[in-house]
Amino acid sequence: MPLLQGRVLLHENALNVPRPRHALANDLSGVVMTGANADARAFQLRTDTGYKGTLLIDSAPYASYTATADEPFMAPPDELFAAVDDSLTFQKARGASAALTPTGYIPPANSKALKAVMREANQIERADTLVSLPIDVTWLNRENIGQLIAVCAKIRHPKAVILFRQFDPLEQAKDVPANLRRLFTEVEHMSLLRTDLAALDVMAHGALCAGIGVQSSLRHAIPPDEKPQTGKRGGGPTYPHVLMPQLMCFKGAESLSNLYANADPATCDCEECDGRGLNRFFLPDGETRREADNHTVFTWSTWVSELASYRAGTERKTWWRNKCAAAVDRYALENQRIGLGASPKSGFQVPPPLKAWATLPANP
Ligand SMILES: [Zn+2]
């Protein structure tokens, strides 16, 4: 899989007309076209914009289909008798660099469904296949991680894990960040798609590749029978979640506008921001959203380049750990600077996964 090795891909929403992203023009990146219609959008990206980089097509069958012991892969509804092989060939014909298996969502502790994915995947006689593993995040709990590792090790193709959970999957239980890292350390040729900064954690620890969503709904997935919860009552416009360069967390544009209401906002030196404040994204128009997304992609792209400049192994892991630890230390300073130091509930809060990455041993 040389086309994927060492890359952090960007999940683009297939609802939108594809356009080339300036921040992604290097050998460490690529695109995952994600959602219904991903194949048509991917083809459009190749033909209309002339995109030549690494490309995956994730039509997200796991959003509507649950894997069973008999049928772990979803057959496309309009091709009732199509084999999995046809789905893989179709993705390649639409421009994909490698093909993702149409695996259904694998529910908590459903060993039969997980083993069926392994069995069916090992029947595939192709060298261009990534076995998609859309797992409930409880597979990373203490009781299940052993079996997950054992099954993944027996799948003879590269694998792509997608984590399911409302809000941030890594906050589901305390040991999830450590166990996710263990999965990526103990099994070869693993990738983590549709995630957030966990992409950098697994890349530092030897992942094949990873994928970060351009918007928060593409940074995790939710089970087919659940509706997304946004933590926002009453509907209304949604605002982008912005990556904070110093604090290494995603923060909603509305809370940033509130937090910096009476203080100088944190600024950013990326190509999009050019020194401007990060409180400027609390507007519902498309141009503001594009600016916010570009800022976020520029910010983590820089980190990916930095990570790649360190030698794989201890050097890379240590750099990542130190970077996370430095970010954790900045929370108290930033809260103090904007006058929220005294009340721990009102300012910026360290996300538990970031704290874990900052404190887990670089070499266990
Ligand atoms: Zn910026």
Side-chain angles (χ1 to χ4, degrees):
M1 290 280 165
L3 286 163
L4 296 171
Q5 184 79 54
R7 289 171 190 271
V8 177
L9 313 172
L10 177 68
H11 284 262
E12 293 271 18
N13 193 330
L15 279 173
N16 305 324
V17 177
R19 60 212 149 75
R21 282 200 195 254
H22 182 44
L24 288 178
N26 65 46
D27 56 353
L28 296 171
S29 66
V31 172
V32 189
M33 203 49 88
T34 310
N37 263 340
D39 57 297
R41 289 301 196 196
F43 191 66
Q44 225 178 334
L45 182 68
R46 284 278 191 235
T47 51
D48 295 1
T49 74
Y51 176 73
K52 292 191 171 57
T54 295
L55 175 64
L56 295 179
I57 297 176
D58 179 12
S59 305
Y62 48 75
S64 59
Y65 183 73
T66 301
T68 65
D70 296 325
E71 298 283 347
F73 298 144
M74 186 177 92
D78 51 338
E79 297 165 55
L80 208 54
F81 302 101
V84 168
D85 195 58
D86 295 333
S87 156
L88 304 176
T89 302
F90 181 67
Q91 291 174 46
K92 296 300 292 292
R94 294 303 234 173
S97 310
L100 279 163
T101 57
T103 317
Y105 162 64
I106 305 170
N110 191 332
S111 307
K112 285 185 175 155
L114 181 67
K115 285 180 186 160
V117 175
M118 171 189 74
R119 200 178 52 238
E120 297 285 316
N122 285 345
Q123 306 279 324
I124 298 169
E125 301 283 344
R126 308 169 58 117
D128 60 359
T129 304
L130 265 173
V131 176
S132 161
L133 295 171
I135 53 170
D136 193 271
V137 74
T138 50
W139 277 103
L140 296 172
N141 290 354
R142 195 167 355 118
E143 312 80 67
N144 301 315
I145 182 70
Q147 184 179 29
L148 179 66
I149 287 174
V151 172
C152 285
K154 284 187 198 145
I155 298 177
R156 56 190 187 85
H157 298 276
K159 291 147 281 277
V161 170
I162 296 169
L163 297 176
F164 279 64
R165 165 88 180 169
Q166 300 278 0
F167 305 112
D168 185 350
L170 266 66
E171 295 187 28
Q172 186 264 340
K174 207 166 179 283
D175 51 358
V176 166
N179 287 343
L180 180 65
R181 197 185 271 185
R182 197 182 136 199
L183 173 67
F184 277 73
T185 310
E186 292 186 20
V187 186
E188 276 191 318
H189 310 304
M190 294 287 287
S191 44
L192 180 65
L193 296 184
R194 205 168 170 150
T195 187
D196 52 24
L197 297 185
L200 280 106
D201 190 68
V202 296
M203 292 307 284
H205 289 83
L208 170 69
C209 73
I212 299 179
V214 72
Q215 61 207 79
S216 37
S217 63
L218 298 179
R219 292 195 278 266
H220 66 144
I222 51 165
D225 54 356
E226 291 182 29
K227 280 199 165 61
Q229 300 167 12
T230 57
K232 193 180 160 79
R233 280 158 300 176
T238 58
Y239 300 95
H241 279 72
V242 181
L243 182 56
M244 302 300 289
Q246 302 291 316
L247 303 176
M248 294 178 71
C249 66
F250 286 90
K251 200 79 189 160
E254 186 170 2
S255 30
L256 284 177
S257 168
N258 291 333
L259 283 162
Y260 290 128
N262 301 308
D264 288 339
T267 58
C268 174
D269 293 325
C270 83
E271 262 179 66
E272 184 69 44
C273 299
D274 196 21
R276 284 180 293 166
L278 293 170
N279 60 338
R280 68 186 199 278
F281 302 117
F282 184 38
L283 292 164
D285 64 290
E287 190 45 47
T288 302
R289 174 167 290 275
R290 268 188 293 280
E291 262 195 37
D293 291 347
N294 285 341
H295 151 76
T296 291
V297 177
F298 272 121
T299 302
W300 62 250
S301 295
T302 312
W303 300 344
V304 173
S305 307
E306 223 178 312
L307 179 137
S309 73
Y310 289 88
R311 203 150 11 128
T314 307
E315 268 187 32
R316 213 172 265 185
K317 293 178 200 174
T318 306
W319 168 78
W320 173 244
R321 193 189 135 138
N322 291 345
K323 184 169 179 63
C324 293
V328 168
D329 287 344
R330 286 195 193 101
Y331 279 72
L333 295 172
E334 184 66 352
N335 286 336
Q336 202 175 28
R337 188 183 73 80
I338 60 176
L340 295 169
S343 162
K345 275 277 168 229
S346 57
F348 289 98
Q349 312 288 321
V350 184
L354 180 64
K355 205 177 279 176
W357 300 330
T359 48
L360 286 168
N363 282 306

